[in-house]
Amino acid sequence: GAVVSQHPSRVICKSGTSVKIECRSLDFQATTMFWYRQFPKQSLMLMATSNEGSKATYEQGVEKDKFLINHASLTLSTLTVTSAHPEDSSFYICSARDNRGANTQYFGPGTRLTVL
Amino acid sequence: AQSVSQHNHHVILSEAASLELGCNYSYGGTVNLFWYVQYPGQHLQLLLKYFSGDPLVKGIKGFEAEFIKSKFSFNLRKPSVQWSDTAEYFCAATATSGTYKYIFGTGTRLKVLA
């Protein structure tokens, strides 16, 4: 149980295009999901907290107009990187907190974004 | 400010050696503590967690961790490591209410030599 999927696993795009990444909780409902960036050989940096039915909460320094988050259902959150640039290339990871309690996040496998 | 620190950034051990990875936290209020493991090319997996009760927590794959409140520590241990334990290990803390967002440590890269 407690499986989180992400799609796509890899994406390569041209500078200036937008990319959407999906995060799904497969066997549980998640009112709250989280989006992270992980740079090579570094820890995870929380970008934003995604709340079902309400606006996402962004961490300091994260541009909300660049990283659009939509959490339209209890099992799906999407992150759209708008007008992507090479500096947005990174590994994006989502996690989901199970609504059944147990204050635990379950992580997706990540999405490798490369912007040319 | 809330923070989690992991002192060992890189650890190299031979198989069968004992492992202890340090984790200290700075948090106001009650915390929940976690250890996650990230094997090469894979996603983060939960090793174990501490919410309350017995401060010695047993997790998967033979790992355990001890919560020492007086030292603000939650060190990860394994009596005898295997080559397959080669991975990156992350300690994380979160408040027991509110946003539930994690604060991660910087991670410890463990390499086990066969």
Side-chain angles (χ1 to χ4, degrees):
Chain A
V3 178
V4 175
S5 69
Q6 273 183 250
H7 179 80
S9 57
R10 269 181 201 276
V11 57
I12 301 173
C13 68
K14 292 182 179 179
S15 187
T17 60
S18 294
V19 174
K20 181 186 281 188
I21 303 170
E22 292 186 348
C23 177
R24 292 181 186 274
S25 56
L26 298 185
D27 50 2
F28 64 97
Q29 293 184 329
T31 301
T32 305
M33 293 185 175
F34 302 86
W35 286 96
Y36 297 85
R37 279 180 82 163
Q38 186 177 31
F39 293 98
K41 299 184 180 181
Q42 292 189 34
S43 187
L44 283 75
M45 182 193 81
L46 179 66
M47 298 174 64
T49 303
S50 170
N51 303 296
E52 187 266 339
S54 63
K55 291 182 179 180
T57 305
Y58 290 81
E59 295 299 301
Q60 193 172 9
V62 178
E63 297 177 61
K64 61 181 180 182
D65 294 330
K66 181 163 189 64
F67 298 100
L68 299 178
I69 291 172
N70 185 277
H71 193 154
S73 79
L74 288 172
T75 58
L76 174 63
S77 174
T78 60
L79 169 69
T80 301
V81 183
T82 62
S83 187
H85 288 95
E87 58 265 29
D88 299 324
S89 298
S90 190
F91 196 55
Y92 292 87
I93 301 173
C94 75
S95 71
R97 180 178 175 272
D98 193 332
N99 276 9
R100 291 170 292 184
N103 188 11
T104 303
Q105 292 181 29
Y106 299 95
F107 287 81
T111 297
R112 171 79 56 195
L113 170 64
T114 302
V115 184
L116 303 177
Chain B
Q2 299 165 341
S3 67
V4 174
S5 62
Q6 292 180 241
H7 324 294
N8 321 98
H9 299 295
H10 290 89
V11 174
I12 302 175
L13 295 173
S14 298
E15 274 195 315
S18 63
L19 171 72
E20 180 160 2
L21 301 182
C23 173
N24 285 90
Y25 66 93
S26 173
Y27 237 92
T30 308
V31 295
N32 295 151
L33 296 160
F34 307 82
W35 276 98
Y36 284 85
V37 61
Q38 188 175 30
Y39 297 103
Q42 296 190 30
H43 64 283
L44 270 79
Q45 298 175 40
L46 180 66
L47 271 180
L48 47 79
K49 58 188 177 184
Y50 174 78
F51 285 176
S52 63
D54 188 345
L56 185 60
V57 180
K58 294 197 183 297
I60 61 172
K61 303 178 191 264
F63 286 91
E64 65 179 30
E66 185 174 13
F67 170 59
I68 303 179
K69 189 175 182 180
S70 60
K71 294 184 178 180
F72 301 95
S73 70
F74 189 56
N75 292 357
L76 181 71
R77 300 196 292 247
K78 185 170 184 178
S80 175
V81 294
Q82 301 172 317
W83 177 80
S84 57
D85 293 323
T86 295
E88 187 144 22
Y89 293 81
F90 293 96
C91 181
T94 184
T96 56
S97 62
T99 64
Y100 303 109
K101 57 184 183 181
Y102 282 6
I103 304 293
F104 274 96
T106 51
T108 296
R109 194 171 291 269
L110 171 66
K111 184 170 184 177
V112 180
L113 304 175

